Amino acid sequence: MPISAAQRAALITATTVLLAAGCSDGGDDAADTTKPSGSPGLSALTSQKLVWAPCTAPSAAEGGGPAPSPLPGGTAWECSFLQAPLDWAEPAGETIELALIRARARDPEARIGSLLFNFGGPGGSGVTGLPGFANEYETLRSRYDLVSFDPRGVGRSDPVECATDKELDAYYALDFTPDDAAEERTLSDAQKKYAAGCEQDAGPALPHVGTENAARDLDLMRQVLGDDKLHYFGISYGTELGGVYAHLFPKNVGRAVLDAVVDPDAGVEEGALGQAKGFQLALDNFAQDCVDRGDECALPGTSVAEVESFVTDLLASLDKKPIPGIGARELTQTQATNGIAQALYSKEYWPYLEQGLEAADGGDGALLLSLSDSMNGRGQTGTYSNIQSANAAINCVDFKERYTLGQAKERLDKFREASPVFGDFMGWALASCSQWPVPGTWEHPDVSAPGSAPLLVIGTTGDPATPYEGTRAMVNALGKGVGIELTYEGEGHGAYNGGNACVKKAVDAYLLDGKLPATGTVCK
């Protein structure tokens, strides 16, 4: 059962969880730093004219593949580049190019403006992501130009690339849950080499790929696209980006939706622990579905505990001895765990997980390795996108914490308690930024946005990657009357594209007609 391109695109929305784990303090003062205020450099940037042209095929860093096909009715995708400051603290200084993609609104006379999308990661390419989701947003295109972009450091926007394809094959096959001092040294050396590769490739751009700069890029896009307000749809990490934007530019927020919400109160450790619990919950639900189907399920076990014991036993055996995967590549414990996590992002992918686990138990690791490759951005030709390199670069410049392997090891017990399957990986991943060559910015993002227009904040109760508890935290952090909470009682990462008619109706009503649901609304 091959995984389609659209399904692969759907899985870029998550904050990467297994291999990779400056915002000012306040409101109007922070926003003032990006106002033109007579700076000739910034004035020239805000008045730049975009040159739109037919989109070419995605770059290797964007994931490759063909140029996007026309939309229903024949509307063609258009692409352009925006000039933005490399360092927003020096807006008249060096600039970088940010890649954009657009599909024009179907009804120009009813057009509200541009609707900007960020599909998450961090590190996901919006230039490839938006066409992959296009059919899901065709209703919204009735009144909006659909626009997305490759954030700085991502895809075609000055991408951070930390290693060669061959080096990445070896890196992702490593044991990321070391069992002894020798394995710990191997992992530490590999992380150091990876971080050095990122620094060598990105050079002076590396300190500037963080979320605060990306939020300022969003406001520049708003101005250059000719919109008085930013209309925005953020998914997963895109909710964090949207919250930071609302904090910096509360008066510029238009109609905004945050779906699959990152907890803004969580630091590195709290966020990783929450994800360990979230993925364990999703695995519990997968196992319960298997039990409920009885003999129709290919996995052994008549209880959730027995199904999950089969999974942990399989992973333990792979730790001792990998099995054949794809070509000469083997399936290791790390890649198997990555593949399991990938399949838990949506209930739609549970059949792949069932088949992959059954096949691996029989000595065939191809399907789980394919799922892991999808998580890591590896195409069938062996070429990697830069999603994981960008993910590491953005996370490590955002967050101040620098856990050593020893400090991560001290916290393993609590992670194992949270998840027998994913705990070790999440715990050891705390050290992902330990060798990073530039400092981080914050302990957690400030998303307080007094005076902002309402943001519709959507959480899914069975979301593995951005656990549901983060939804209420975002609503509270945005401030009274700003965050409007909508709950989807279901499975998967992201509600709008999950096929629930209630969620889709509520989002469409807000974005198209300005009609918000009552806060606390529940869709089932």
Side-chain angles (χ1 to χ4, degrees), residues 345-392:
Y345 276 102
S346 171
K347 191 174 182 178
E348 180 181 351
Y349 310 124
W350 287 3
Y352 301 114
L353 178 54
E354 182 179 332
Q355 292 175 36
L357 289 169
E358 180 190 27
D361 187 49
D364 179 1
L367 183 49
L368 285 184
L369 184 55
S370 178
L371 287 164
S372 180
D373 286 347
S374 182
M375 172 81 87
N376 290 330
R378 189 186 195 273
Q380 294 181 355
T381 62
T383 300
Y384 284 86
S385 76
N386 90 310
I387 185 170
Q388 290 290 4
S389 295
N391 181 278

Side-chain angles (χ1 to χ4, degrees), residues 259-476:
D259 185 4
V261 182
V262 175
D263 186 342
D265 295 337
V268 171
E269 184 173 342
E270 295 83 3
L273 194 61
Q275 286 193 325
K277 295 175 181 177
F279 276 94
Q280 185 62 46
L281 173 62
L283 184 65
D284 292 346
N285 293 339
F286 163 80
Q288 183 63 60
D289 176 74
C290 184
V291 171
D292 291 344
R293 289 187 292 113
D295 291 341
E296 293 181 7
C297 180
L299 305 183
T302 58
S303 68
V304 169
E306 289 179 356
V307 173
E308 292 185 0
S309 178
F310 161 76
V311 174
T312 55
D313 288 347
L314 174 63
L315 293 174
S317 70
L318 290 171
D319 189 29
K320 296 177 181 177
K321 185 178 180 180
I323 61 174
I326 300 171
R329 299 166 62 227
E330 293 182 317
L331 177 73
T332 66
Q333 181 195 42
T334 295
Q335 291 161 326
T337 310
N338 242 4
I340 293 168
Q342 179 76 311
L344 291 174
Y345 276 102
S346 171
K347 191 174 182 178
E348 180 181 351
Y349 310 124
W350 287 3
Y352 301 114
L353 178 54
E354 182 179 332
Q355 292 175 36
L357 289 169
E358 180 190 27
D361 187 49
D364 179 1
L367 183 49
L368 285 184
L369 184 55
S370 178
L371 287 164
S372 180
D373 286 347
S374 182
M375 172 81 87
N376 290 330
R378 189 186 195 273
Q380 294 181 355
T381 62
T383 300
Y384 284 86
S385 76
N386 90 310
I387 185 170
Q388 290 290 4
S389 295
N391 181 278
I394 294 167
N395 278 331
C396 292
V397 81
D398 274 350
F399 288 93
K400 288 181 178 179
E401 291 97 334
R402 296 290 186 261
Y403 293 91
T404 65
L405 280 177
Q407 290 170 327
K409 188 175 183 178
E410 292 171 356
R411 290 160 171 77
L412 288 179
D413 285 348
K414 69 166 72 173
F415 278 87
R416 289 167 177 161
E417 182 179 353
S419 173
V421 174
F422 302 104
D424 267 6
F425 287 85
M426 301 290 191
W428 284 111
L430 290 177
S432 295
C433 296
S434 61
Q435 313 271 8
W436 205 249
V438 298
T441 304
W442 58 44
E443 293 181 2
H444 58 82
D446 191 345
V447 300
S448 60
S452 170
L455 290 85
L456 182 57
V457 182
I458 308 171
T460 299
T461 54
D463 191 323
T466 52
Y468 175 67
E469 291 76 12
T471 308
R472 179 62 56 83
M474 178 66 81
V475 168
N476 292 338

Side-chain angles (χ1 to χ4, degrees), residues 19 160-174 176 190 193-194 198 329 335 372-373 376-378 382-390:
L19 303 183
V160 179
E161 297 181 283
C162 303
T164 66
D165 294 333
K166 184 177 180 179
E167 289 170 338
L168 289 174
D169 274 346
Y171 184 66
Y172 294 135
L174 283 174
F176 278 80
K193 180 180 177 182
Y194 186 84
C198 299
R329 299 166 62 227
Q335 291 161 326
S372 180
D373 286 347
N376 290 330
R378 189 186 195 273
T383 300
Y384 284 86
S385 76
N386 90 310
I387 185 170
Q388 290 290 4
S389 295

Side-chain angles (χ1 to χ4, degrees), residues 189-265:
D189 289 346
Q191 290 175 331
K192 183 177 182 179
K193 180 180 177 182
Y194 186 84
C198 299
E199 183 179 30
Q200 182 177 1
D201 178 77
L206 194 60
H208 306 298
V209 297
T211 299
E212 182 181 345
N213 276 332
R216 298 184 188 282
D217 293 339
L218 275 178
D219 202 59
L220 179 61
M221 291 177 205
R222 173 193 66 79
Q223 295 173 74
V224 173
L225 291 167
D227 293 319
D228 292 334
K229 302 288 185 179
L230 178 75
H231 306 299
Y232 179 75
F233 201 130
I235 304 169
S236 192
Y237 162 78
T239 66
E240 182 178 293
L241 177 59
V244 171
Y245 178 89
H247 169 68
L248 294 174
F249 305 100
K251 302 300 184 182
N252 296 345
V253 175
R255 298 175 187 176
V257 174
L258 307 182
D259 185 4
V261 182
V262 175
D263 186 342
D265 295 337

